[in-house]
Every structure is written in structure tokens, then in C-alpha cells.
Amino acid sequence: MAVLLEAFSQEYKRKIEDRMMEIVAGLDTPGSLKSAMSYSLEAGGKRLRPLLVLAVLRAFGKDPHIGLDTACAIEMIHTYSLIHDDLPSMDDDDLRRGKPTNHKVFGEATAILAGDGLLTLAFGVIANQEQARLNPKVAIELVAELSKAAGAEGMVGGQVADMEGEHRDLHLSELEYIHVHKTGKLLSYSILAGAILAGADEEKRKHLREYAYHLGLAFQIRDDILDIEGSEIKIGKPIGSDETNHKSTYPALLSLDGAKDKLSTHVHLAKEALLQTDFQQDILTEMIELVAKRDH
Amino acid sequence: MAVLLEAFSQEYKRKIEDRMMEIVAGLDTPGSLKSAMSYSLEAGGKRLRPLLVLAVLRAFGKDPHIGLDTACAIEMIHTYSLIHDDLPSMDDDDLRRGKPTNHKVFGEATAILAGDGLLTLAFGVIANQEQARLNPKVAIELVAELSKAAGAEGMVGGQVADMEGEHRDLHLSELEYIHVHKTGKLLSYSILAGAILAGADEEKRKHLREYAYHLGLAFQIRDDILDIEGSEIKIGKPIGSDETNHKSTYPALLSLDGAKDKLSTHVHLAKEALLQTDFQQDILTEMIELVAKRDH
């Protein structure tokens, strides 16, 4: 199962991580800041977002390497958002992927600045590859869409909505708004970025947007299910915390079985969207299957 | 004195502020986030950075309006940096320009996110104007240079160095490193952005970089002097705080007279740099004079 994806992931995960570390190591900046930025980038994770960029390029028959820097930029944005989310004034988390959170190691001020540094760097990484080889029109579209997906209209807006919804019961539509923005927009951007880099036409982008939408929601529903059924060791944080914190989740709103049904529906619709296109969808199909079955 | 600059500032300050508010008002984002972002953008200030972009364009005989969105993006970066600097874990300031700081009004989490939102938005504002009329090569150069000036190699790096230097006596070279990065890089970028937008050649950019370097240091030395000689009401925050906090400053290292001499030298060298070029330097000359004499 997921044989192709596993081989693909094995080939590119390391390249993504090496390239990110190379970029940060090359920065002319105070050592403590560089350490704090590297610490969270190195902390591991599935690298789902950068792998999506490369998988979409492959689906279009392009060399995935042309998306490497864009993929790294997205992972930097994702990483900064985790650093800021974990802060005492936000989720106040001590552990992330089984390691102490950034502010626990480097202090709150440096953690905030490491996040700011990664966010700012991401845009530079996209822009600088233009100077190497990318068409500037492509590079600027990548910048414009990243700003939209990661900013107030996307991920940052979703984080605010999430905070505001914390202490009351949410309707399903409110829960969906939060997830579509907080997690979905950057996942969707990863897929869109691959399509932009591949020069995909509007018709293909439309189907990929649909795939991305269902992938994002499937990802989040699985997250909620894992908080009930998952293994603490594999996830790297305590399970059952959603219920303890009276957090609105899919299982809480729909029952555990209802959430599982909804997950299946999104997986089905994501696959359907891929079938509307004529590119090589094998790895993207395995990707949605993995998202739905992952144990961490 | 500064007659041209005053007229220029009167004409464009309002346009910059209106355009910034228009951009934020148009965002599809939770109301509280929009309010927090607007609050700090509206809080006033000299708008020195955006005015520099437009003044450089004017010096090249270009219509300053072509730099309006870039100018707004820079002010958004400056504003986010103030919001994050004021946080309890950073400078822990309650007042900024005579008004309660962002986190005092909206809470720490929303303040962090408002900063993240403004930083992310700035890159989108630059990229989106390309879709309207800017040459994409120009737009992508603006993005790349902004990332460098505002990030770990620029402003964010300077902020970390400043924090780390807080509790010990600094050498003059260390103090200069902090200011060149923390304040200087974004001021320099404002001038560079005007030159990029004007299509200035490398020769002209070189002289403008020199002007920017001296302007940045003059700005900071004046800041340190104002903390001793300034008026609390005009500055909008308590004076004498540098000495209370045992902060390394130019007057502390060079004596007050020594700092004033150094300020004069930088003003002189900034003007010299302008004389090496053949553009209309009147407003830029008034700008450095104002920076050296400002009372807030």
C-alpha cells in the first residue's frame, strides 16, 4: 500500500530537509536566531505540504526538482505557524512532535522572532529562485498566492477564528470555516503551487482545487479522530486533549462514526476530482489514502 | 525650512494612509483580526519609510504614485515589527505613539497574529501590483530585497542582536551592527525600492545606498539624543528610559556632545552622497536634515 508514495517520499523528503537546512545555514544572522529557526525546521514531521508540491509536478510529467525551493518555502511557513501557535499566549504547548517547543528551548522572544524570520525568509526563497531560472511571472504568482493562503484571508485568519471559537460550541459550518482556513489554505496552496510551476491550465487547476479542498478536510477529520483513537507515542503529544479542552471537533459534532463517514466521503470526492484530469494521478491518490489512514 | 518636504509629505501621507486602510478593509477575514491590523496601521507616525520610497521616485522625475503600494507594504512591515517588539516577552511596552499598544487592546495572541497578518500581507501587496501594471521582474526584485531587509539578515536579526546586547555594555561597532540591522535595513530598503521602481542604474543605486546608510544611523543617533533631551509629550513615551534600562546608546558611549558630532558627520556624508548623483535631490536633502532635527 502506498508503494509509489513511499518511494517518492523517501527520495524527496531528505532533499527537502537538506535544502532547507542549506538555506538557513547560509544566512548571515546572529547564531541564536539561526539555531532557533533550524531547530523547528529539523524537528521532523511528515513534510506533507512540500511533498504535495513535488507530487503535483510529477503528475504533470515535470521534474519534481523544479519545485524544491517553493516546497521548502511552504514548509518554512508551516513551521513558523507551529512555533507561533505553540506560544504561551496561544496554545501554550510544551511539546511538539515529542520535542520541547521552540519557546521552551530558546525563550518566548526568540521564538516569536524565529517565526517572523521563517515567514519572511519563505518569500525570499520563492523570489530568489526566479533570479536563478524561474519565469518572473510564475514567481510573482507564487508570491501573491502564498500571501493570500498564509495571511489574514487564509491561515492566520483561520487561527483567529479557531481561538475565538474555543470557548463555545460551534456549528459544523463554523468548524469547517476554521479548518478550511487554518489548515486547508496552505495545503491547497501546496497543490496550487505545483500546478503553477507545471504551467497547468485553468481546467486542470479547477480539479486540483477540488482535490485540495477534500484533502484538507480529510486531513483535519483524521486529526480529530486520532485525538480519540490514536497512539500518544506515534502522535508525539497527549491524546484526548480535545475533549479535555471542550474543543469542537468532527467526532463531537457528528459522533465518531459520523466523522468516519464524512472522512470517507471526502476521500471519495478527492479521488473523483483526480479522475477528471488526464495526468498521472497515482501518487496523489495514494496521498489522500494515506491522509485518511495515517496514525500520526 | 523643509518647505518642499512638508508639502510633499502633506500631499502623500494621507494617500499612503488611505491606501493602507483600503487594502486592509478589503480583506475577507475575521473582524477582530481586521480591527487589530487597522488599529496599529492607523496609529500614526511620521510615515518616514513610505515617504522615502515616493521621494526617491520624485528625485528620478517619476510619478510618486507608482510607488504607492510598495510604500504601503513597507509601512505594514514596519508596523508589524512595532507590534511584535511591544509584546510582553519583548520590550513589554504599554504605550506606542501615546496610545495603548496592540496587545493591551486586543490581547497578546491577537497582537501576534495581527503582526503575522501584516507581514504576510506586505508581500502580497507588492506581488499584486504586478498583476495590475508593474513589470514582474521589478516586482520580484522588490520581494527578494524586502525579504532580505526585513528578515533574519536584516531587521529581525537586528532585533535579536538588540535583545542579546541588552544586559551588557556594547562596543560602538556592536551598537552600530544593531542599528544598521534593526532600523537601517528597512530604511535602506525604502530608498532602494524607490530606485528599483525608477529603474535606477547600479551607479545611482550605489550613491543612494550610501545616503541610506548615513540616514539610518543619523536616525538612530537622534533617537538616542531624544531619549535624553526630548519632550515626553511629543515622543509619546517616557524619556530617560534608556538610562534607566542601562541601554547602550550613542550618548552613553560617546557623551552627548560626541553623539551630536557623530550625528553631524552622518548628515554631512548623506548629503555628500546625494551630490554624487545628477537627480533632483532637494527633498532627500530636506529629509536627512529633518531626521537630524526631529523632535519626535
Side-chain angles (χ1 to χ4, degrees), chain A residues 183-235:
Chain A
T183 350
K185 291 282 181 183
L186 197 61
L187 281 169
S188 290
Y189 175 76
S190 307
I191 291 161
L192 174 64
I196 291 172
L197 285 162
D201 60 25
E202 184 44 40
E203 172 70 14
K204 287 212 168 58
R205 287 191 192 193
K206 201 187 86 185
H207 298 306
L208 280 170
R209 262 198 299 275
E210 207 152 318
Y211 168 76
Y213 175 81
H214 295 296
L215 179 92
L217 286 174
F219 184 87
Q220 192 55 52
I221 298 170
R222 183 68 193 157
D223 222 47
D224 288 353
I225 293 172
L226 278 176
D227 192 70
I228 296 171
E229 294 190 334
S231 145
E232 196 155 321
I233 290 166
K234 284 186 180 154
I235 307 175

Short mmCIF file of all heavy atoms in Angstrom, two decimals, chain A residues 183-235:
data_model
loop_
_atom_site.label_atom_id
_atom_site.label_comp_id
_atom_site.label_asym_id
_atom_site.label_seq_id
_atom_site.Cartn_x
_atom_site.Cartn_y
_atom_site.Cartn_z
N THR A 183 -5.89 25.06 8.26
CA THR A 183 -5.04 24.00 7.66
C THR A 183 -5.21 23.94 6.15
O THR A 183 -4.24 23.71 5.43
CB THR A 183 -5.41 22.59 8.20
OG1 THR A 183 -6.31 22.71 9.28
CG2 THR A 183 -4.19 21.82 8.57
N GLY A 184 -6.45 24.12 5.70
CA GLY A 184 -6.76 23.86 4.30
C GLY A 184 -6.06 24.78 3.32
O GLY A 184 -5.58 24.34 2.28
N LYS A 185 -5.99 26.06 3.65
CA LYS A 185 -5.46 27.02 2.67
C LYS A 185 -4.00 26.75 2.31
O LYS A 185 -3.61 26.89 1.15
CB LYS A 185 -5.60 28.46 3.20
CG LYS A 185 -7.05 28.94 3.28
CD LYS A 185 -7.61 29.34 1.93
CE LYS A 185 -9.05 29.83 2.06
NZ LYS A 185 -9.65 30.18 0.76
N LEU A 186 -3.19 26.38 3.30
CA LEU A 186 -1.78 26.14 2.98
C LEU A 186 -1.61 24.79 2.27
O LEU A 186 -0.74 24.66 1.40
CB LEU A 186 -0.92 26.20 4.26
CG LEU A 186 0.58 26.36 4.00
CD1 LEU A 186 0.90 27.64 3.24
CD2 LEU A 186 1.38 26.33 5.29
N LEU A 187 -2.44 23.81 2.63
CA LEU A 187 -2.42 22.54 1.89
C LEU A 187 -2.82 22.79 0.44
O LEU A 187 -2.19 22.31 -0.49
CB LEU A 187 -3.38 21.53 2.54
CG LEU A 187 -2.88 20.82 3.80
CD1 LEU A 187 -4.02 20.06 4.47
CD2 LEU A 187 -1.74 19.85 3.47
N SER A 188 -3.89 23.56 0.25
CA SER A 188 -4.35 23.88 -1.11
C SER A 188 -3.27 24.64 -1.88
O SER A 188 -3.06 24.41 -3.07
CB SER A 188 -5.60 24.74 -1.07
OG SER A 188 -6.69 23.99 -0.61
N TYR A 189 -2.62 25.56 -1.18
CA TYR A 189 -1.55 26.32 -1.84
C TYR A 189 -0.45 25.39 -2.33
O TYR A 189 0.11 25.60 -3.42
CB TYR A 189 -0.97 27.39 -0.91
CG TYR A 189 0.21 28.08 -1.56
CD1 TYR A 189 0.00 29.04 -2.55
CD2 TYR A 189 1.52 27.76 -1.22
CE1 TYR A 189 1.07 29.66 -3.19
CE2 TYR A 189 2.60 28.37 -1.85
CZ TYR A 189 2.37 29.32 -2.83
OH TYR A 189 3.42 29.92 -3.46
N SER A 190 -0.13 24.37 -1.54
CA SER A 190 0.94 23.44 -1.93
C SER A 190 0.60 22.79 -3.27
O SER A 190 1.47 22.64 -4.14
CB SER A 190 1.11 22.35 -0.87
OG SER A 190 1.29 22.94 0.40
N ILE A 191 -0.67 22.44 -3.42
CA ILE A 191 -1.11 21.79 -4.66
C ILE A 191 -1.16 22.81 -5.79
O ILE A 191 -0.70 22.56 -6.91
CB ILE A 191 -2.48 21.12 -4.41
CG1 ILE A 191 -2.26 19.93 -3.48
CG2 ILE A 191 -3.14 20.71 -5.71
CD1 ILE A 191 -3.50 19.43 -2.78
N LEU A 192 -1.67 24.00 -5.48
CA LEU A 192 -1.72 25.06 -6.49
C LEU A 192 -0.32 25.44 -6.96
O LEU A 192 -0.08 25.66 -8.16
CB LEU A 192 -2.42 26.30 -5.90
CG LEU A 192 -2.43 27.55 -6.77
CD1 LEU A 192 -3.24 27.31 -8.05
CD2 LEU A 192 -3.01 28.75 -6.01
N ALA A 193 0.62 25.51 -6.02
CA ALA A 193 2.00 25.89 -6.38
C ALA A 193 2.58 24.90 -7.38
O ALA A 193 3.23 25.29 -8.36
CB ALA A 193 2.87 25.96 -5.13
N GLY A 194 2.33 23.61 -7.15
CA GLY A 194 2.78 22.59 -8.11
C GLY A 194 2.16 22.83 -9.48
O GLY A 194 2.84 22.75 -10.51
N ALA A 195 0.86 23.16 -9.47
CA ALA A 195 0.15 23.41 -10.74
C ALA A 195 0.69 24.66 -11.44
O ALA A 195 0.87 24.67 -12.66
CB ALA A 195 -1.34 23.53 -10.48
N ILE A 196 0.96 25.70 -10.68
CA ILE A 196 1.51 26.94 -11.25
C ILE A 196 2.88 26.65 -11.88
O ILE A 196 3.17 27.05 -13.01
CB ILE A 196 1.65 28.05 -10.18
CG1 ILE A 196 0.26 28.54 -9.73
CG2 ILE A 196 2.48 29.22 -10.70
CD1 ILE A 196 0.28 29.49 -8.53
N LEU A 197 3.72 25.92 -11.13
CA LEU A 197 5.06 25.60 -11.63
C LEU A 197 5.01 24.70 -12.86
O LEU A 197 5.88 24.77 -13.72
CB LEU A 197 5.88 24.92 -10.53
CG LEU A 197 6.39 25.85 -9.41
CD1 LEU A 197 6.78 25.04 -8.18
CD2 LEU A 197 7.57 26.68 -9.90
N ALA A 198 3.97 23.86 -12.93
CA ALA A 198 3.84 22.95 -14.07
C ALA A 198 3.20 23.63 -15.27
O ALA A 198 3.12 23.05 -16.35
CB ALA A 198 3.02 21.73 -13.66
N GLY A 199 2.72 24.87 -15.07
CA GLY A 199 2.05 25.57 -16.16
C GLY A 199 0.67 24.99 -16.46
O GLY A 199 0.21 25.02 -17.61
N ALA A 200 -0.01 24.48 -15.44
CA ALA A 200 -1.34 23.87 -15.63
C ALA A 200 -2.37 24.90 -16.08
O ALA A 200 -2.35 26.03 -15.61
CB ALA A 200 -1.78 23.21 -14.32
N ASP A 201 -3.29 24.47 -16.94
CA ASP A 201 -4.35 25.40 -17.38
C ASP A 201 -5.46 25.47 -16.33
O ASP A 201 -5.49 24.71 -15.37
CB ASP A 201 -4.90 24.97 -18.75
CG ASP A 201 -5.50 23.58 -18.72
OD1 ASP A 201 -5.93 23.11 -17.64
OD2 ASP A 201 -5.52 22.93 -19.79
N GLU A 202 -6.38 26.40 -16.54
CA GLU A 202 -7.42 26.67 -15.55
C GLU A 202 -8.29 25.44 -15.29
O GLU A 202 -8.70 25.17 -14.16
CB GLU A 202 -8.28 27.88 -15.99
CG GLU A 202 -9.35 28.32 -15.01
CD GLU A 202 -8.90 28.40 -13.55
OE1 GLU A 202 -7.77 28.84 -13.30
OE2 GLU A 202 -9.68 27.99 -12.66
N GLU A 203 -8.58 24.69 -16.34
CA GLU A 203 -9.39 23.47 -16.22
C GLU A 203 -8.74 22.48 -15.22
O GLU A 203 -9.39 22.00 -14.30
CB GLU A 203 -9.51 22.85 -17.62
CG GLU A 203 -10.17 21.49 -17.68
CD GLU A 203 -11.67 21.54 -17.38
OE1 GLU A 203 -12.23 22.65 -17.40
OE2 GLU A 203 -12.26 20.47 -17.13
N LYS A 204 -7.47 22.24 -15.40
CA LYS A 204 -6.76 21.31 -14.50
C LYS A 204 -6.65 21.88 -13.09
O LYS A 204 -6.78 21.15 -12.11
CB LYS A 204 -5.37 21.02 -15.06
CG LYS A 204 -5.38 20.13 -16.30
CD LYS A 204 -4.13 19.28 -16.35
CE LYS A 204 -4.26 18.18 -17.41
NZ LYS A 204 -4.51 18.73 -18.77
N ARG A 205 -6.43 23.18 -13.02
CA ARG A 205 -6.35 23.81 -11.68
C ARG A 205 -7.65 23.64 -10.92
O ARG A 205 -7.66 23.47 -9.71
CB ARG A 205 -6.05 25.31 -11.82
CG ARG A 205 -4.62 25.61 -12.24
CD ARG A 205 -4.35 27.09 -12.08
NE ARG A 205 -3.10 27.47 -12.73
CZ ARG A 205 -2.50 28.64 -12.55
NH1 ARG A 205 -3.06 29.55 -11.76
NH2 ARG A 205 -1.37 28.92 -13.16
N LYS A 206 -8.76 23.72 -11.64
CA LYS A 206 -10.08 23.61 -11.01
C LYS A 206 -10.22 22.25 -10.33
O LYS A 206 -10.65 22.16 -9.18
CB LYS A 206 -11.17 23.80 -12.07
CG LYS A 206 -12.52 24.20 -11.51
CD LYS A 206 -13.60 24.20 -12.58
CE LYS A 206 -14.19 22.82 -12.75
NZ LYS A 206 -15.16 22.72 -13.84
N HIS A 207 -9.86 21.20 -11.03
CA HIS A 207 -9.98 19.86 -10.46
C HIS A 207 -9.00 19.68 -9.30
O HIS A 207 -9.33 19.04 -8.30
CB HIS A 207 -9.73 18.80 -11.54
CG HIS A 207 -10.74 18.86 -12.64
ND1 HIS A 207 -12.09 18.81 -12.40
CD2 HIS A 207 -10.60 18.98 -13.99
CE1 HIS A 207 -12.75 18.89 -13.55
NE2 HIS A 207 -11.86 19.01 -14.53
N LEU A 208 -7.84 20.27 -9.42
CA LEU A 208 -6.87 20.16 -8.33
C LEU A 208 -7.32 20.94 -7.10
O LEU A 208 -7.07 20.54 -5.96
CB LEU A 208 -5.49 20.67 -8.79
CG LEU A 208 -4.69 19.64 -9.61
CD1 LEU A 208 -3.47 20.28 -10.24
CD2 LEU A 208 -4.28 18.45 -8.73
N ARG A 209 -7.97 22.08 -7.33
CA ARG A 209 -8.52 22.84 -6.19
C ARG A 209 -9.54 22.00 -5.43
O ARG A 209 -9.59 22.02 -4.21
CB ARG A 209 -9.19 24.14 -6.69
CG ARG A 209 -8.32 25.38 -6.56
CD ARG A 209 -9.12 26.67 -6.65
NE ARG A 209 -9.82 26.81 -7.92
CZ ARG A 209 -9.28 27.31 -9.02
NH1 ARG A 209 -8.04 27.75 -9.02
NH2 ARG A 209 -9.98 27.41 -10.13
N GLU A 210 -10.35 21.28 -6.19
CA GLU A 210 -11.35 20.42 -5.57
C GLU A 210 -10.68 19.29 -4.77
O GLU A 210 -11.05 19.02 -3.62
CB GLU A 210 -12.24 19.84 -6.66
CG GLU A 210 -13.63 19.50 -6.17
CD GLU A 210 -14.62 19.58 -7.31
OE1 GLU A 210 -14.54 20.55 -8.12
OE2 GLU A 210 -15.46 18.67 -7.40
N TYR A 211 -9.70 18.68 -5.39
CA TYR A 211 -8.92 17.65 -4.71
C TYR A 211 -8.34 18.21 -3.41
O TYR A 211 -8.43 17.60 -2.34
CB TYR A 211 -7.80 17.16 -5.64
CG TYR A 211 -6.74 16.31 -4.99
CD1 TYR A 211 -6.98 14.98 -4.67
CD2 TYR A 211 -5.48 16.84 -4.70
CE1 TYR A 211 -6.00 14.19 -4.07
CE2 TYR A 211 -4.50 16.05 -4.11
CZ TYR A 211 -4.76 14.73 -3.80
OH TYR A 211 -3.78 13.96 -3.20
N ALA A 212 -7.76 19.41 -3.49
CA ALA A 212 -7.11 20.03 -2.34
C ALA A 212 -8.11 20.31 -1.22
O ALA A 212 -7.82 20.10 -0.04
CB ALA A 212 -6.42 21.33 -2.77
N TYR A 213 -9.30 20.77 -1.61
CA TYR A 213 -10.34 21.07 -0.62
C TYR A 213 -10.68 19.83 0.20
O TYR A 213 -10.72 19.86 1.43
CB TYR A 213 -11.58 21.62 -1.35
CG TYR A 213 -12.76 21.86 -0.45
CD1 TYR A 213 -12.85 23.02 0.31
CD2 TYR A 213 -13.79 20.92 -0.36
CE1 TYR A 213 -13.96 23.23 1.14
CE2 TYR A 213 -14.89 21.13 0.46
CZ TYR A 213 -14.96 22.29 1.20
OH TYR A 213 -16.04 22.50 2.02
N HIS A 214 -10.92 18.72 -0.51
CA HIS A 214 -11.30 17.49 0.19
C HIS A 214 -10.12 16.91 0.95
O HIS A 214 -10.29 16.37 2.05
CB HIS A 214 -11.88 16.48 -0.81
CG HIS A 214 -13.16 16.95 -1.41
ND1 HIS A 214 -14.30 17.16 -0.66
CD2 HIS A 214 -13.49 17.28 -2.69
CE1 HIS A 214 -15.27 17.59 -1.45
NE2 HIS A 214 -14.80 17.69 -2.69
N LEU A 215 -8.94 17.03 0.41
CA LEU A 215 -7.75 16.57 1.12
C LEU A 215 -7.59 17.30 2.45
O LEU A 215 -7.31 16.70 3.49
CB LEU A 215 -6.50 16.77 0.26
CG LEU A 215 -5.18 16.34 0.90
CD1 LEU A 215 -4.83 14.90 0.53
CD2 LEU A 215 -4.02 17.25 0.48
N GLY A 216 -7.78 18.61 2.41
CA GLY A 216 -7.63 19.42 3.62
C GLY A 216 -8.62 19.03 4.70
O GLY A 216 -8.26 18.87 5.87
N LEU A 217 -9.88 18.83 4.31
CA LEU A 217 -10.88 18.46 5.31
C LEU A 217 -10.66 17.03 5.80
O LEU A 217 -10.78 16.76 7.01
CB LEU A 217 -12.29 18.65 4.75
CG LEU A 217 -12.70 20.13 4.66
CD1 LEU A 217 -14.05 20.29 3.98
CD2 LEU A 217 -12.74 20.77 6.05
N ALA A 218 -10.29 16.14 4.89
CA ALA A 218 -9.99 14.76 5.30
C ALA A 218 -8.85 14.76 6.32
O ALA A 218 -8.91 14.06 7.34
CB ALA A 218 -9.61 13.92 4.09
N PHE A 219 -7.84 15.58 6.06
CA PHE A 219 -6.69 15.70 6.95
C PHE A 219 -7.14 16.08 8.36
O PHE A 219 -6.72 15.51 9.36
CB PHE A 219 -5.73 16.75 6.40
CG PHE A 219 -4.47 16.89 7.18
CD1 PHE A 219 -3.37 16.08 6.92
CD2 PHE A 219 -4.36 17.84 8.19
CE1 PHE A 219 -2.20 16.20 7.66
CE2 PHE A 219 -3.20 17.97 8.93
CZ PHE A 219 -2.12 17.15 8.66
N GLN A 220 -8.03 17.06 8.43
CA GLN A 220 -8.45 17.57 9.73
C GLN A 220 -9.36 16.59 10.46
O GLN A 220 -9.26 16.42 11.68
CB GLN A 220 -9.16 18.92 9.54
CG GLN A 220 -9.37 19.66 10.84
CD GLN A 220 -8.07 19.85 11.59
OE1 GLN A 220 -7.09 20.34 11.04
NE2 GLN A 220 -8.01 19.45 12.85
N ILE A 221 -10.27 15.96 9.73
CA ILE A 221 -11.16 14.97 10.37
C ILE A 221 -10.32 13.83 10.94
O ILE A 221 -10.54 13.38 12.06
CB ILE A 221 -12.21 14.45 9.36
CG1 ILE A 221 -13.10 15.61 8.89
CG2 ILE A 221 -13.08 13.36 10.01
CD1 ILE A 221 -14.02 15.27 7.73
N ARG A 222 -9.33 13.39 10.16
CA ARG A 222 -8.45 12.33 10.65
C ARG A 222 -7.72 12.79 11.91
O ARG A 222 -7.53 12.01 12.85
CB ARG A 222 -7.44 11.95 9.55
CG ARG A 222 -6.51 10.80 9.92
CD ARG A 222 -7.24 9.47 10.04
NE ARG A 222 -6.42 8.44 10.68
CZ ARG A 222 -6.88 7.36 11.31
NH1 ARG A 222 -8.19 7.14 11.38
NH2 ARG A 222 -6.07 6.49 11.87
N ASP A 223 -7.32 14.05 11.93
CA ASP A 223 -6.66 14.61 13.11
C ASP A 223 -7.56 14.49 14.34
O ASP A 223 -7.11 14.09 15.41
CB ASP A 223 -6.37 16.10 12.84
CG ASP A 223 -5.00 16.52 13.32
OD1 ASP A 223 -4.02 15.80 13.04
OD2 ASP A 223 -4.90 17.57 13.98
N ASP A 224 -8.82 14.87 14.16
CA ASP A 224 -9.78 14.79 15.27
C ASP A 224 -9.99 13.35 15.72
O ASP A 224 -10.12 13.06 16.92
CB ASP A 224 -11.13 15.39 14.85
CG ASP A 224 -11.08 16.91 14.72
OD1 ASP A 224 -10.06 17.50 15.09
OD2 ASP A 224 -12.08 17.50 14.26
N ILE A 225 -10.05 12.43 14.77
CA ILE A 225 -10.24 11.01 15.09
C ILE A 225 -9.02 10.47 15.84
O ILE A 225 -9.15 9.74 16.83
CB ILE A 225 -10.52 10.17 13.81
CG1 ILE A 225 -11.88 10.58 13.22
CG2 ILE A 225 -10.48 8.67 14.11
CD1 ILE A 225 -12.19 9.96 11.86
N LEU A 226 -7.83 10.88 15.38
CA LEU A 226 -6.59 10.44 16.04
C LEU A 226 -6.54 10.89 17.49
O LEU A 226 -5.96 10.20 18.34
CB LEU A 226 -5.36 10.97 15.30
CG LEU A 226 -4.91 10.18 14.07
CD1 LEU A 226 -3.73 10.89 13.41
CD2 LEU A 226 -4.51 8.75 14.46
N ASP A 227 -7.14 12.04 17.77
CA ASP A 227 -7.11 12.53 19.15
C ASP A 227 -7.94 11.63 20.07
O ASP A 227 -7.79 11.66 21.29
CB ASP A 227 -7.63 13.97 19.22
CG ASP A 227 -7.33 14.60 20.58
OD1 ASP A 227 -6.15 14.86 20.85
OD2 ASP A 227 -8.28 14.78 21.39
N ILE A 228 -8.81 10.81 19.47
CA ILE A 228 -9.60 9.86 20.25
C ILE A 228 -8.98 8.46 20.18
O ILE A 228 -8.80 7.80 21.20
CB ILE A 228 -11.05 9.79 19.70
CG1 ILE A 228 -11.74 11.14 19.89
CG2 ILE A 228 -11.83 8.68 20.41
CD1 ILE A 228 -13.07 11.24 19.21
N GLU A 229 -8.62 8.04 18.97
CA GLU A 229 -8.20 6.65 18.76
C GLU A 229 -6.69 6.46 18.64
O GLU A 229 -6.22 5.34 18.53
CB GLU A 229 -8.83 6.10 17.48
CG GLU A 229 -10.34 5.98 17.50
CD GLU A 229 -10.83 5.20 16.28
OE1 GLU A 229 -10.12 5.22 15.25
OE2 GLU A 229 -11.89 4.59 16.37
N GLY A 230 -5.95 7.55 18.57
CA GLY A 230 -4.54 7.46 18.22
C GLY A 230 -3.64 6.98 19.35
O GLY A 230 -4.08 6.78 20.48
N SER A 231 -2.39 6.80 19.01
CA SER A 231 -1.38 6.40 19.99
C SER A 231 -0.54 7.61 20.37
O SER A 231 -0.01 8.31 19.50
CB SER A 231 -0.49 5.31 19.38
OG SER A 231 0.84 5.46 19.84
N GLU A 232 -0.45 7.86 21.66
CA GLU A 232 0.28 9.02 22.18
C GLU A 232 1.72 9.04 21.68
O GLU A 232 2.27 10.08 21.34
CB GLU A 232 0.25 8.97 23.70
CG GLU A 232 0.63 10.27 24.35
CD GLU A 232 0.03 10.38 25.74
OE1 GLU A 232 -1.13 9.96 25.94
OE2 GLU A 232 0.74 10.88 26.64
N ILE A 233 2.33 7.87 21.63
CA ILE A 233 3.74 7.78 21.22
C ILE A 233 3.90 8.17 19.76
O ILE A 233 4.79 8.93 19.39
CB ILE A 233 4.29 6.36 21.47
CG1 ILE A 233 4.40 6.14 22.99
CG2 ILE A 233 5.66 6.17 20.81
CD1 ILE A 233 4.61 4.70 23.37
N LYS A 234 3.00 7.65 18.91
CA LYS A 234 3.12 7.95 17.48
C LYS A 234 2.82 9.41 17.18
O LYS A 234 3.44 10.02 16.32
CB LYS A 234 2.18 7.04 16.68
CG LYS A 234 2.73 5.63 16.57
CD LYS A 234 1.89 4.76 15.66
CE LYS A 234 2.48 3.35 15.58
NZ LYS A 234 1.48 2.34 15.26
N ILE A 235 1.83 9.99 17.86
CA ILE A 235 1.46 11.38 17.58
C ILE A 235 2.48 12.34 18.19
O ILE A 235 2.71 13.44 17.69
CB ILE A 235 0.04 11.70 18.12
CG1 ILE A 235 -0.98 10.69 17.58
CG2 ILE A 235 -0.40 13.11 17.72
CD1 ILE A 235 -2.37 10.87 18.14
#
